[in-house]
């Protein structure tokens, strides 16, 4: 059953994360002791799982995986309350990310990314019927980093706007964003109503080193800009002005992987079910804090 605001449809990447938590610096050319786990991930899938964790609305996910891990990913998504629609790619394996997590005070992470099937999502995987009962469409920014998935984004945006369904986008990766180009990214997402960048992504998109100025600048072309600031919380800008800041709850970080996805999922679920943007930011910050307090990018499975 969809909630009063409709369902949330997330379109994005579904990835297998290999998380290696190590203490101290890496030792090139020899061994570095680490605790290594294989867990489900992907920015789009993570957003869907954290949105479903709120229990307020139906959450659906469209993604593409390889046959090697399709059953596992579908089971893991369903266990977290998401209704998955996974396209199984016969020619490419499921995308894989190796997450190197330094167990120092900041629990910072470095990603080695093989996108695999995830960025082969294309127009043939889209149907306007996916929007039936949907109150908000969310697009992972990773979709804009390949030609086939960019074409799907264009179709999804056109279909959503034809139905009056609002659309949000998370830029997803400052590194890939720099390769694509800020101007091109902004032209591809023109018309969305919510943009959810990280600090680095906001500054890159606006060409401005000050995050508040960057957010204000972006909000002149996107109605609502919410910048995720990690341990500093988040800020919100509208109509060229920063109009709200929300602090993050204190937490001892174990793994910062997926913290931004957690914020995005909880924020969108709250927004969809009637919360104002300030309240939705508070929900997002709480989810982000919960994410960094555990290893892996997803909330625990439902009982």
């Amino acid at each position: 059953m969809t909630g009063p605001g409709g369902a949330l449809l997330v379109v994005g990447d579904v990835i297998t994360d290999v998380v290696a938590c190590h203490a101290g610096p890496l030792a090139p050319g020899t061994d570095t002791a680490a605790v290594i786990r294989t867990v489900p991930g992907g920015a789009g899938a993570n957003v869907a799982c954290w949105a479903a964790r709120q229990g307020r609305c139906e959450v659906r996910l469209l993604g593409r995986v390889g046959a090697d891990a399709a059953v596992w990913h579908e089971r893991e998504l369903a266990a977290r309350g998401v209704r998955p629609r996974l396209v199984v790619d016969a020619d490419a394996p499921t995308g894989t990310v190796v997450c190197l997590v330094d167990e120092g005070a900041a629990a910072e992470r470095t990603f080695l990314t093989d996108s695999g099937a995830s960025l082969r999502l294309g127009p043939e995987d889209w149907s306007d019927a996916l929007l039936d009962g949907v109150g908000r469409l969310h697009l992972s920014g990773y979709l804009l980093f390949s030609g086939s998935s960019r074409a799907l984004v264009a179709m999804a945006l056109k279909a959503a706007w034809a139905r009056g369904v609002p659309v949000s986008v998370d830029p997803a990766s400052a590194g890939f964003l720099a390769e694509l180009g800020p101007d091109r990214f902004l032209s591809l997402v023109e018309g969305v109503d919510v943009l959810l960048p990280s600090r680095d992504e906001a500054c890159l998109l606006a060409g401005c080193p000050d995050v508040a100025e960057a957010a204000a600048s972006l909000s002149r072309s996107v109605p609502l800009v919410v910048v995720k600031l990690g341990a500093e919380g988040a800020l919100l800008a509208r109509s060229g002005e920063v109009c709200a800041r929300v602090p993050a709850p204190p937490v001892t970080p174990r793994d910062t992987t997926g913290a931004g996805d957690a914020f995005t999922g909880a924020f969108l679920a709250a927004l969809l079910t009637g919360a104002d943007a300030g309240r939705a930011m508070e929900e997002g910050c709480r989810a982000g804090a919960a994410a960094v307090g555990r290893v892996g990018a997803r909330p625990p499975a439902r009982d």
Side-chain angles (χ1 to χ4, degrees), residues 60-129:
R60 308 172 188 172
L61 172 71
L62 173 64
R64 194 174 183 99
V65 296
D68 57 311
V71 173
W72 178 60
H73 275 293
E74 185 163 350
R75 183 178 66 242
E76 290 294 320
L77 288 161
R80 287 161 178 81
V82 176
R83 290 184 57 188
R85 176 168 174 174
L86 301 184
V87 179
V88 179
D89 195 311
D91 300 317
T94 302
T96 300
V97 173
V98 177
C99 311
L100 305 178
V101 181
D102 184 346
E103 291 188 312
E108 266 305 336
R109 71 270 197 263
T110 300
F111 298 142
L112 304 174
T113 302
D114 177 354
S115 297
S118 66
L119 294 192
R120 288 162 57 93
L121 198 67
E124 68 278 9
D125 302 320
W126 177 261
S127 166
D128 289 359

Side-chain angles (χ1 to χ4, degrees), residues 1-224:
M1 296 290 290
T2 57
L8 172 66
L9 173 62
V10 179
V11 183
D13 45 318
V14 182
I15 297 288
T16 299
D17 285 346
V18 180
V19 183
C21 298
H22 59 94
L26 296 173
T30 187
D31 296 320
T32 299
V35 175
I36 301 175
R37 298 180 184 178
T38 300
V39 295
N46 296 339
V47 166
C49 289
W50 285 99
R53 176 179 182 259
Q54 308 306 304
R56 298 173 181 167
C57 62
E58 178 186 313
V59 181
R60 308 172 188 172
L61 172 71
L62 173 64
R64 194 174 183 99
V65 296
D68 57 311
V71 173
W72 178 60
H73 275 293
E74 185 163 350
R75 183 178 66 242
E76 290 294 320
L77 288 161
R80 287 161 178 81
V82 176
R83 290 184 57 188
R85 176 168 174 174
L86 301 184
V87 179
V88 179
D89 195 311
D91 300 317
T94 302
T96 300
V97 173
V98 177
C99 311
L100 305 178
V101 181
D102 184 346
E103 291 188 312
E108 266 305 336
R109 71 270 197 263
T110 300
F111 298 142
L112 304 174
T113 302
D114 177 354
S115 297
S118 66
L119 294 192
R120 288 162 57 93
L121 198 67
E124 68 278 9
D125 302 320
W126 177 261
S127 166
D128 289 359
L130 289 166
L131 292 171
D132 291 349
V134 167
R136 172 169 289 278
L137 171 65
H138 177 71
L139 302 171
S140 168
Y142 281 108
L143 296 171
L144 297 170
F145 303 136
S146 83
S148 63
S149 52
R150 277 196 295 272
L152 178 142
V153 165
M155 291 181 66
L157 287 173
K158 183 178 179 180
W161 291 330
R163 295 192 182 203
V165 175
V167 184
S168 56
V169 174
D170 186 328
S173 167
F176 288 158
L177 186 58
E179 292 180 21
L180 179 68
D183 290 342
R184 189 177 184 193
F185 178 92
L186 290 171
S187 69
L188 289 169
V189 302
E190 185 178 1
V192 304
D193 76 305
V194 180
L195 185 67
L196 293 136
S198 67
R199 180 198 303 270
D200 290 346
E201 292 157 2
C203 291
L204 180 60
L205 285 171
C208 173
D210 181 87
V211 68
E213 292 180 14
S217 175
L218 291 170
S219 72
R220 296 186 182 99
S221 55
V222 180
L224 183 63

Side-chain angles (χ1 to χ4, degrees), residues 210-212 229 232 234-236 242-247 281:
D210 181 87
V211 68
L229 303 175
E232 296 176 31
L235 63 81
L236 179 150
V242 173
C243 48
R245 292 177 182 263
V246 173
M281 288 170 66

